[in-house]
Amino acid sequence: QVQLVESGGGLVQPGGSLRLSCTASRSIFTIYAISWYRQAPGKQRELVAKISSGSSSNYADSVKGRFTISTDNAKNTVYLQMNSLKPEDTAVYYCNARVVVLSSQYDYWGMGTQVTVSS
């Protein structure tokens, strides 16, 4: 199992920045991939950014060039640096960890952290 704790959300003005953190209860070297998702009111949860073993990363088109996902392996933490924030980035942001054991995949979720972009 993996427990995930997100932090770093808050209220920010358009054009501002926030850094979200997701700390895992075990070494992220044992996790196949860690992702950030978000869910705005009335919308489906969507993938924002993902980092896989080997450090390959990918991003939703809507955040490319503005958001950066990174890891601190010593702290078992994955970060999402969000710059040039827009009102449409407002959502609850969730951390997801995917663990692969033999041929089975297991997904674990954090409780989420609210990001509000508003003037």
Side-chain angles (χ1 to χ4, degrees), residues 33-48:
I34 295 185
S35 304
W36 284 98
Y37 285 75
R38 66 186 181 188
Q39 187 167 19
K43 294 189 177 180
Q44 288 189 331
R45 191 171 296 190
E46 64 174 353
L47 177 66
V48 176

Side-chain angles (χ1 to χ4, degrees), residues 28-84:
I28 58 177
F29 286 119
T30 68
I31 299 172
Y32 175 73
I34 295 185
S35 304
W36 284 98
Y37 285 75
R38 66 186 181 188
Q39 187 167 19
K43 294 189 177 180
Q44 288 189 331
R45 191 171 296 190
E46 64 174 353
L47 177 66
V48 176
K50 176 181 178 180
I51 190 162
S52 303
S53 57
S55 298
S56 64
S57 58
N58 56 287
Y59 299 89
D61 287 342
S62 59
V63 307
K64 281 181 182 175
R66 299 189 298 122
F67 291 10
T68 303
I69 190 169
S70 62
T71 63
D72 184 332
N73 298 327
K75 296 182 178 179
N76 295 337
T77 298
V78 175
Y79 301 102
L80 184 68
Q81 178 66 45
M82 306 187 295
N83 298 328
S84 302

